[in-house]
Amino acid sequence: MLTISTPPEQRVLLPNISWQLYESLLAELGNQRSTRIAYHQGQLEIMVPLPEHENRNRLIDRLIVTLIEELNLEYNPFGSMTIKKRKKAAGKEPDSCYYIQNEALVRGRTELDFAQDPPPDLALEIDITSSSLNQFDLYADLGVPEIWRYDGRSIKFYQLQNGEYAECNFSRAFPMLPTAKVDEFIDRCQTTGATAAVREFREWVKNQ
């Protein structure tokens, strides 16, 4: 088994990596690992998350699931699965990703082929330390319709429009949700605790 030892949240960028080597690395490392691997047009980046990174990922995931429950939507969570398209020389492991609008197309399935299957409707990207890759170009090549990006201070929503991402004040998956409400939820988790913050957020959704 190939092992990579890096300090927390360190990003390592490797140039001139072939698609075959990228796929071999994914197979060798397997799914049971803490690293995130991204590949775009010959560049490969390896990152190990900070505790803050994983904490914000789990908190925002909880907010998304609460929204889905209260809005009575079907969804299919795929966590940080690898989304890859060989023709685009692009591969990415989001921090979390979800099928919502296209949930019915992947219901009951555990293996997906992104040459044929749609990408997740929503990807969550925790970017505490900036990536060396252009994440927007990478996600655009994968065709992900919506990205939520948290930079350690605030969250922003982006929607794919004509091959490029445009920042939006409201979510495509949840049109009644503004970015400010997500930031407020994260702050409340730090002051009142996650359980209380989820309870307050659930009541807010019910009142919309």
Side-chain angles (χ1 to χ4, degrees):
M1 173 66 69
L2 177 65
T3 58
I4 297 176
S5 178
T6 55
E9 199 74 351
Q10 179 175 343
R11 294 180 183 267
V12 177
L13 184 67
L14 304 175
N16 304 317
I17 302 297
S18 68
W19 181 263
Q20 291 76 12
L21 182 55
Y22 164 61
E23 289 202 312
S24 296
L25 182 62
L26 289 177
E28 182 71 18
L29 291 175
N31 296 322
Q32 303 302 315
R33 54 184 166 84
S34 61
T35 53
R36 301 276 196 278
I37 298 177
Y39 179 87
H40 197 218
Q41 299 178 359
Q43 296 189 89
L44 185 142
E45 184 179 72
I46 302 171
M47 186 271 286
V48 180
L50 282 168
E52 179 186 1
H53 183 121
E54 290 298 87
N55 174 259
R56 297 304 188 263
N57 179 30
R58 296 304 177 95
L59 291 178
I60 298 171
D61 171 77
R62 188 69 185 91
L63 177 144
I64 291 170
V65 172
T66 299
L67 268 168
I68 288 169
E69 290 173 349
E70 290 303 319
L71 296 174
N72 197 28
L73 301 174
E74 291 294 342
Y75 81 113
N76 208 335
F78 275 87
S80 58
M81 74 168 175
T82 302
I83 311 166
K84 58 182 180 177
K85 288 187 177 181
R86 181 169 186 163
K87 287 186 176 180
K88 295 289 188 178
K92 177 68 179 165
E93 296 168 354
D95 289 296
S96 295
C97 65
Y98 313 83
Y99 285 91
I100 304 170
Q101 294 96 323
N102 286 318
E103 179 274 335
L105 298 179
V106 298
R107 186 178 300 171
R109 299 174 57 191
T110 56
E111 295 186 6
L112 301 174
D113 178 0
F114 295 105
Q116 303 175 1
D117 294 314
D121 298 301
L122 172 62
L124 173 60
E125 191 73 16
I126 309 298
D127 203 9
I128 304 296
T129 58
S130 296
S131 171
S132 299
L133 297 176
N134 187 315
Q135 298 292 321
F136 292 118
D137 287 349
L138 175 48
Y139 271 116
D141 279 344
L142 294 172
V144 176
E146 181 175 5
I147 302 171
W148 289 15
R149 181 180 178 271
Y150 180 77
D151 65 2
R153 298 177 300 277
S154 62
I155 198 158
K156 293 182 179 179
F157 300 156
Y158 298 90
Q159 296 179 21
L160 189 60
Q161 300 175 2
N162 300 318
E164 297 183 352
Y165 285 98
E167 184 178 346
C168 302
N169 291 328
F170 290 83
S171 168
R172 176 176 179 173
F174 313 106
M176 33 69 75
L177 180 71
T179 55
K181 197 64 186 178
V182 183
D183 291 333
E184 178 186 322
F185 171 80
I186 295 171
D187 289 342
R188 294 294 288 167
C189 286
Q190 313 314 308
T191 56
T192 68
T195 300
V198 168
R199 187 182 305 115
E200 291 174 4
F201 181 72
R202 193 180 296 276
E203 288 302 313
W204 177 83
V205 177
K206 289 179 179 178
N207 291 328
Q208 296 308 298

